[in-house]
Amino acid sequence: MDPELEPFVPLIPRPDYADPVAERATTARLVASLPAPDTSAMRVTDRLVAAVPDVPVRIYRPQEARGAIVWLHGGGGIVGDLDTEHPSAARLAEASGAMVVSVGFRLAPEHVFPAALDDAYAVLCWLADSADELGVDPGRIAVGGMSAGGGLAAAMTLRARDEDGPPIRCQLLNQPMLDDRRHTWSARAFTRTPRLDAENLAVIWGANLGATPATPYAAPARATDLSNLPPAYIATAEFDPLRDEGIAYAVRLLQSGVSVELHQWPGTFHGSQAILSAQVSQRQNAELAAALRRALETSGPPG
């Protein structure tokens, strides 16, 4: 474990995803106790995207932002909303210079697959259709997310490819949740890692899928064809059950002709980049923002 992260490990409560109401309240209290991000240099607005049902979004627009990203929060698809994601979304907008559209997608277990994906994809289509109104170059739209949100972002690229949907400039997959089968070494061996372990990962997938069999749109690692997808930035954490599936997905993308930047962060655990005092967290957050900034620097088709 990174020496700057290790002192925090005993202080981190183990999530109880089997009690989503309590876990959501715990997460909200934790985020509310943190210093509020400085958004004075950007415009922050809430709105509803027309869909069935309508999808709440929070838009972070730095000055002179030309590109945009549809950003999907973590929390296992069970926990999280626009407010709990506010610090991370604001930080990403400030550091990247991109307009960040944070999505308040429907949560499990009340809403199982494909509810969250339908919400996220509706926002992607809305953003592409509203590019002129929003002052966004339609050739500079990315998708990305953390953990379960990273899995949703990967699924969005598959769906956009298959349905001839909006062009996606790049996919930013931060510690993505990609494989319901949980058959990698890290998914089986990490039984008591901080924040996420093998046991609560099983609870998460059960809540998200319900009685629905997994498809590639639910678990992108199941996709047999990863060709013709947008370039990817994939970040994994060393002590994370999701580590090996993220690395395997990066390798499969490369073997399918997709350009990939892969960062495996030593000494880190799932979500540890939220501990901003650690130098490794600062590097993780800076690299994520820099990858988005690079991807949106030039207009044109994905790739």
Side-chain angles (χ1 to χ4, degrees), residues 70 119-129 141-143 156 160 165-168:
V70 177
D119 291 351
Y121 194 74
V123 172
L124 172 66
C125 295
W126 164 80
L127 179 58
D129 291 342
I141 294 176
V143 299
M156 287 168 66
I168 297 172

Side-chain angles (χ1 to χ4, degrees), residues 99-119:
M99 185 174 80
V100 173
V101 182
S102 181
V103 182
F105 53 84
R106 285 171 288 173
L107 299 175
E110 296 89 344
H111 304 281
V112 298
F113 174 82
L117 178 60
D118 287 346
D119 291 351

Side-chain angles (χ1 to χ4, degrees), residues 17 27 71-82 84-85 88 102-103 105 107 144-152 174-177 195 204 242 270-271 273:
Y17 292 111
T27 300
W71 183 254
L72 305 158
H73 64 76
I78 298 171
V79 173
D81 55 29
L82 297 180
T84 58
E85 191 62 11
S88 296
S102 181
V103 182
F105 53 84
L107 299 175
M146 167 67 189
S147 190
L152 282 173
N174 194 16
Q175 300 168 26
M177 189 176 87
R195 289 304 299 166
I204 285 170
L242 304 179
H270 191 80
Q273 74 276 2

